[in-house]
Amino acid sequence: MGMTIAEKILAAKSGSKVVVPGDVVTVDVDTVILFDNNFMPNNWRDILQVADPSKIVVTFDHRVPAPTQQAAAAQVTGRAFVKKFGIKRFHDVGHNQGISHQLVADYGYALPGSVLLCSDSHTCSAGVFNCLARGVGGPDIIYAAIKGQTWFRCGETVRYELHGKLPEAVTAKDAFLQIAGVHGAHATMNVEYGGPGVAGLSVNARKTIAAMSAELSAEFATFEADAALTEWISARNPAPFVPVRPDADAKYLAVRNIDLSALEPLVALPDSVVNNSQPVAKTAGTRIDQAYIGSCANGTQDDIELAARVVRGRRIAPGVRFIVVPASQTVYRDVVASGAVQTLIEAGAMIAPPTCGACGGGHMGVLGPNEVCLTSSTRNFKGRMGDPSSQVYMASPATVAASALTGVITDPREFLQ
Amino acid sequence: MTDMKKAPMRFKARVWIVGDNINTDLILPNKAFYLTHEEQAMYVFSANRPGWAEQVKKGDILIGGNNFGMGSSRAAARSLKNLGLACLIAESLNGLFMRNCVNFAFPALECPGVHAAFSESEEADVEFETAGVRNITRGTALQGKPLPAPLMALVQAGGVYQLLEKEGLIAPKSAAV
Ligand code: SF4
């Protein structure tokens, strides 16, 4: 019987011939990522043995550099854990640090066909690398680090066939907001992305869609592999891998076509991205206090250079805080080298060190009462980025940068002709 | 993952009702992140239902709508448990949230139709293992979806940490937290 990408990997990793929706399977885990929140004093349980230290990655990302004593204590605990088990892939504050999901891209940690776990819900970001990556609970991570295994419940799969090419100033974020706006939640389902339109998207752009799929409540989000993807991985990780294609007779709950060339810039209204997107024209003119570019979804070199193109030679509006956060030190170095950082700070942006920062309401741009933020980060739940009365709109980095210039939500196309 | 046998879990209590798409940031908001588990529990729904946490009595039952617990991997299920709720019955549970219910041994069930079958303050009678749900006040009954056997075993074992502790794979919980 034909299987989808997710079903094929679940079968291979659980030693089953076939896996069908509804099955609960125990699988071997290839990569377990721990980050600072795991080590927080009120979360951490002291691990006495691990299955294989070479399968573990540790980074500090949610609160970096430590803004509080508890965050600092978590890092102390994390460093002791790394030392105790001799973990080599450790991304301490400094040269190699970054948001976990960006590090997976920077260092090629996710190989096609593999299983990757992290207790951050946007771990599906790594699904761009044709693997099964899932955000799980903190206890699941401790279990997987110790036993080398975890369990998954297989859901049905919805496939998105991408066609055409995005118009100028329209981005993968807009493509995602289109999918979320029209098709809503995908709870208990896997999403699979493929089709001829994938080739026209950079790996970074695809990663935006994969990461954002957490907002669909999808179980797994997985892209098909192509030459651009396999070259990306091979340039960063010498380990061999075999891409996983869906069977020709794979059974999908639905197959939906998305014409990228027909899309326009979209904005998600506050509190959810599910069935909550509008063309930018409809929200245009909404006053903002803060414009935020960053996160595991939109803190890449592509995103920051796009924002720089929008603001080049201009100044951001008085009264707007424009915060730009490269997702990793690697990205940071690249956007300094390309001149994007210079352009952005001349326009009046503040560049924060690589961290989740205000995306999770942790630090570096937390919102006050009744403030309005336009963000290109991942999640706009009530109170997500600060005070429960604050409002978080979501859009592409281009739309966020254009809006920082005007102080109100603005169509980026007028700045990118 | 374990073959421990425990007495059946059965809960009879008044119900509280919330709607669809209740997210983890509403259950465990960021500002409670650094607090103790007990303090965190008092922040449940503080953004959308201020004052509610104080009204919950030990053993009460929470009824939710679709995709309950959407959002992050934070230990939101632990807060519902620490608040004293006996169990959660929802139209559907978010997959990641369901994992954390199992991880922290908080009994949670999917039961299509449950949201319409109850009004707030009515009494429910829940048999967790069989997923039988009755509305005592109305005298009506519904059949939910029992947890798959390996996950049920994990809940009955007291969750992941109890299991790992018993196997000597993590240190006993320190008194500090
Ligand atoms: S950037 Fe935001 S969504 Fe991404 S890992 Fe950090 S907190 Fe989670």
Side-chain angles (χ1 to χ4, degrees):
Chain A
M1 205 186 92
M3 291 187 281
T4 67
I5 297 176
E7 290 161 359
K8 279 177 104 162
I9 302 176
L10 286 173
K13 290 293 176 178
S14 64
S16 323
K17 269 212 175 65
V18 179
V19 166
V20 296
D23 288 354
V24 176
V25 293
T26 300
V27 299
D28 294 331
V29 177
D30 298 286
T31 311
V32 183
I33 303 179
L34 287 90
F35 59 99
D36 44 356
N37 282 2
N38 293 111
F39 301 104
M40 290 265 280
N42 60 2
N43 280 340
W44 181 243
R45 295 299 304 264
D46 199 15
I47 294 178
L48 301 177
Q49 67 181 62
V50 299
D52 182 351
S54 74
K55 294 191 169 168
I56 294 177
V57 174
V58 177
T59 185
F60 301 145
D61 59 6
H62 277 60
R63 291 167 176 83
V64 172
T68 63
Q69 291 178 24
Q70 290 97 329
Q75 295 182 15
V76 169
T77 302
R79 289 184 191 105
F81 172 75
V82 162
K83 197 160 168 221
K84 178 170 169 187
F85 294 107
I87 289 158
K88 299 226 164 56
R89 295 188 291 180
F90 175 40
H91 298 265
D92 202 347
V93 180
H95 191 272
N96 298 332
Q97 183 267 339
I99 299 175
S100 68
H101 316 311
Q102 183 63 39
L103 296 177
V104 166
D106 291 348
Y107 293 89
Y109 284 159
L111 297 179
S114 70
V115 171
L116 181 148
L117 295 188
C118 169
S119 66
D120 179 280
S121 52
H122 294 86
T123 302
C124 50
S125 166
V128 66
F129 296 111
N130 188 234
C131 68
L132 284 192
R134 202 198 191 303
V136 294
D140 289 307
I141 286 300
I142 290 185
Y143 187 95
I146 292 172
K147 302 233 181 192
Q149 291 188 322
T150 194
W151 61 266
F152 290 126
R153 183 171 62 170
C154 181
E156 300 202 83
T157 303
V158 174
R159 181 172 167 95
Y160 285 94
E161 287 277 337
L162 308 183
H163 301 271
K165 210 171 167 349
L166 289 167
E168 177 75 3
V170 181
T171 71
K173 188 73 152 205
D174 300 298
F176 172 79
L177 291 176
Q178 172 76 15
I179 291 169
V182 173
H183 300 294
H186 294 54
T188 75
M189 303 166 201
N190 309 314
V191 286
E192 186 176 292
Y193 298 101
V198 171
L201 298 174
S202 69
V203 171
N204 283 334
R206 301 174 200 182
K207 185 165 81 64
T208 298
I209 295 175
M212 290 305 301
S213 299
E215 301 313 296
L216 303 176
S217 296
E219 290 287 311
F220 297 107
T222 314
F223 267 81
E224 275 196 55
D226 65 359
L229 189 90
T230 55
E231 279 161 23
W232 175 291
I233 299 166
S234 298
R236 293 162 172 82
N237 183 343
F241 59 84
V242 182
V244 182
R245 287 179 210 298
D247 291 327
D249 58 344
K251 211 167 147 259
Y252 295 98
L253 188 64
V255 178
R256 298 174 185 151
N257 291 295
I258 304 288
D259 180 4
L260 299 175
S261 66
L263 299 181
E264 58 180 329
L266 296 175
V267 174
L269 304 183
D271 298 350
S272 173
V273 300
V274 166
N275 300 125
N276 209 20
S277 306
Q278 288 192 345
V280 66
K282 281 213 171 165
T283 45
T286 304
R287 181 194 59 80
I288 60 169
D289 299 293
Q290 181 164 303
Y292 188 89
I293 292 177
S295 87
C296 54
N298 284 101
T300 69
Q301 182 176 3
D302 291 4
D303 298 313
I304 292 168
E305 290 177 354
L306 177 63
R309 275 176 56 211
V310 172
V311 304
R312 185 181 311 279
R314 300 184 170 95
R315 272 294 182 90
I316 64 163
V320 175
R321 306 182 295 271
F322 184 26
I323 299 170
V324 178
V325 193
S328 69
Q329 291 281 70
T330 302
V331 172
Y332 203 163
R333 281 187 288 273
D334 289 342
V335 292
V336 167
S338 75
V341 164
Q342 179 80 21
T343 304
L344 285 162
I345 56 179
E346 274 171 14
M350 299 204 73
I351 314 290
T355 180
C356 295
C359 171
H363 66 154
M364 301 270 180
V366 175
L367 301 173
N370 302 310
E371 287 197 315
V372 178
C373 178
L374 180 65
T375 189
S376 73
S377 58
T378 59
R379 186 165 277 168
N380 63 345
F381 292 168
K382 193 176 169 63
R384 164 77 175 179
M385 296 181 77
D387 192 276
S389 66
S390 60
Q391 293 189 297
V392 181
Y393 292 80
M394 188 188 291
S396 77
T399 306
V400 172
S403 306
L405 291 174
T406 59
V408 294
I409 294 178
T410 298
D411 191 326
R413 286 174 291 197
E414 55 189 273
F415 295 98
L416 282 172
Q417 290 307 328
Chain B
M1 296 180 192
T2 173
D3 52 11
M4 262 184 59
K5 285 270 178 294
K6 280 254 173 89
M9 290 191 238
R10 184 159 183 181
F11 312 108
K12 273 191 217 178
R14 66 162 289 174
V15 303
W16 297 95
I17 302 193
V18 292
D20 289 342
N21 298 319
I22 292 293
N23 69 57
T24 50
D25 295 51
L26 294 176
I27 305 170
L28 177 50
N30 202 289
K31 69 171 155 200
F33 261 35
Y34 295 127
L35 304 177
T36 66
H37 299 169
E38 289 66 32
E39 288 165 341
Q40 284 177 342
M42 298 316 290
Y43 280 80
V44 174
F45 301 153
S46 54
N48 59 329
R49 213 168 159 174
W52 177 74
E54 284 80 18
Q55 293 173 263
V56 174
K57 294 215 172 58
K58 195 168 166 50
D60 283 355
I61 292 169
L62 182 63
I63 290 181
N66 284 302
N67 200 12
F68 187 100
M70 67 187 266
S72 88
S73 61
R74 64 189 65 180
R78 186 181 65 197
S79 280
L80 295 182
K81 186 177 185 177
N82 287 336
L83 190 57
L85 291 166
C87 71
L88 163 70
I89 312 159
E91 293 288 325
S92 66
L93 294 169
N94 177 274
L96 174 49
F97 183 80
M98 191 271 272
R99 290 191 84 99
N100 271 330
C101 292
V102 172
N103 286 338
F104 292 107
F106 176 57
L109 282 178
E110 294 187 323
C111 181
V114 72
H115 196 264
F118 284 87
S119 301
E120 199 151 278
S121 300
E122 291 181 337
E123 298 270 324
D125 177 3
V126 180
E127 288 183 41
F128 181 61
E129 281 85 351
T130 61
V133 178
R134 284 198 312 122
N135 183 328
I136 300 175
T137 315
R138 299 187 195 178
T140 51
L142 286 158
Q143 180 58 50
K145 304 177 190 170
L147 269 192
L151 309 186
M152 178 64 80
L154 203 44
V155 173
Q156 287 170 333
V160 165
Y161 290 151
Q162 286 237 11
L163 191 76
L164 294 173
E165 216 178 279
K166 197 168 290 164
E167 293 180 19
L169 297 168
I170 58 172
K173 193 167 162 58
S174 81
V177 194

